[in-house]
Amino acid sequence: MTARPLDGVRIVSIAVNLPGPVAVARLVADGATAVKIEPPWGDPLRALNPEWYEELHAGVETRVLDLKSQAGAEAIRDLLAYTDIFIASHRPAALGRLGLDAEEMLQAFPHVRYLNIVGNTAQVEDPGHDLTYQAQEGLVTDRLPLTLLADMTGAERAYATALLLLRDEPGARREVGLFDCLQSLTAPIRHGLTAPGGPLGGANPAYGVYAARGGHVAVAALEPHFRQRLYAALGLRDSAALTDAFHHRTPEEWEAWAAERDIPLAAVR
């Protein structure tokens, strides 16, 4: 069997919901072995989406422990004696009540590297979830978001941070904030790039979403050669409005039309 980059790395995780399990799944795919400790009531993700839960935990050993009990506390400490990285997704005060805060753990297990996923590194004890973080960043209107941006970007950053920890000396600790990750994603809005009327927020007609027959198309002819090709193919002068340009074909027809001409256009699905 071909060696994988994280063969031999041992993980203990108590992180539930999404960011932690997604990050751990990535690490396991790279060769790490992982034991996940779940509370007696289980991981909420299992009830919300059993299929995705099973997918993320393939290859992960799960154990149910009450970490508030003496037996649970002793069991996780037995595991930590042979662990390279400990991953949590708790507020520090909650970890302290479990005897798993960074200072106490790293004093008892100086060989462990410590990663905690929090909501906001500037306000680590404040409660929140993906929806509230997106709302704070202006990404929520009167509808629920289509995806969990803070959770999924937080998972990717947690994965990358775990890799960095493996390059650190034993006893190192790092923190990942979900709101912090979302702030990186919304930088294009704050800098006016994708804000309404910005260069990628409606000011450039060659970069937009337009009504077609029975749907919409997304056009992204940013580079000069794509833009020139688009306008020439449509028989329009450069910079002309494209509001009515796509009404006479379906999105799929426009997609095929664009593929033949090497123009970045996609049907909105």
Side-chain angles (χ1 to χ4, degrees):
M1 181 181 292
T2 304
R4 292 179 291 176
L6 298 186
D7 282 347
V9 172
R10 296 158 298 189
I11 299 168
V12 167
S13 172
I14 63 169
V16 297
N17 290 316
L18 267 179
V22 171
V24 170
R26 290 282 307 275
L27 296 166
V28 168
D30 286 340
T33 59
V35 177
K36 181 189 175 193
I37 306 302
E38 295 187 359
W41 51 89
D43 186 332
L45 179 61
R46 175 174 243 160
L48 290 171
N49 196 312
E51 182 179 354
W52 195 11
Y53 172 92
E54 294 298 335
E55 177 184 315
L56 292 175
H57 292 79
V60 176
E61 179 186 349
T62 58
R63 299 187 189 182
V64 175
L65 293 176
D66 180 0
L67 296 179
K68 296 179 181 179
S69 70
Q70 182 176 347
E74 291 175 354
I76 194 169
R77 279 162 174 73
D78 289 342
L79 290 171
L80 290 171
Y82 303 98
T83 295
D84 298 298
I85 303 179
F86 170 76
I87 300 177
S89 59
H90 295 59
R91 290 185 276 183
L95 290 169
R97 290 191 292 272
L98 296 174
L100 296 174
D101 60 290
E103 289 75 14
E104 185 174 347
M105 178 184 291
L106 295 177
Q107 184 175 359
F109 304 98
H111 62 280
V112 173
R113 295 164 177 85
Y114 190 102
L115 171 60
N116 190 26
I117 304 166
V118 298
N120 183 345
T121 57
Q123 298 168 307
V124 292
E125 297 297 344
D126 286 0
H129 272 295
D130 185 281
L131 179 60
T132 55
Y133 303 137
Q134 289 205 48
Q136 287 176 267
E137 281 298 284
L139 298 176
V140 176
T141 57
D142 58 346
R143 298 182 181 182
L144 288 170
L146 289 177
T147 190
L148 303 174
L149 287 176
D151 282 354
M152 298 309 294
T153 55
E156 292 301 315
R157 188 169 293 186
Y159 166 74
T161 300
L163 297 181
L164 289 175
L165 273 171
L166 289 170
R167 301 181 63 179
D168 292 340
E169 293 295 323
R173 56 182 290 191
R174 291 178 182 256
E175 199 169 54
V176 168
L178 302 181
F179 182 67
D180 307 55
C181 298
L182 202 57
Q183 285 187 307
S184 298
L185 282 183
T186 55
I189 302 173
R190 291 196 305 276
H191 288 283
L193 186 63
T194 57
L200 302 184
N204 182 354
Y207 188 93
V209 176
Y210 297 102
R213 180 158 52 87
H216 291 78
V217 294
V219 181
L222 277 179
E223 291 81 4
H225 61 286
F226 285 138
R227 182 188 182 101
Q228 182 181 23
R229 199 174 299 155
L230 171 69
Y231 276 100
L234 290 173
L236 298 172
R237 61 173 178 78
D238 188 277
S239 299
L242 300 180
T243 307
D244 299 322
F246 301 98
H247 284 168
H248 59 289
R249 297 185 185 184
T250 67
E252 292 71 24
E253 289 170 341
W254 280 117
E255 196 170 57
W257 173 90
E260 292 174 357
R261 293 161 176 80
D262 193 32
I263 295 171
L265 178 152
V268 175
R269 294 177 170 83

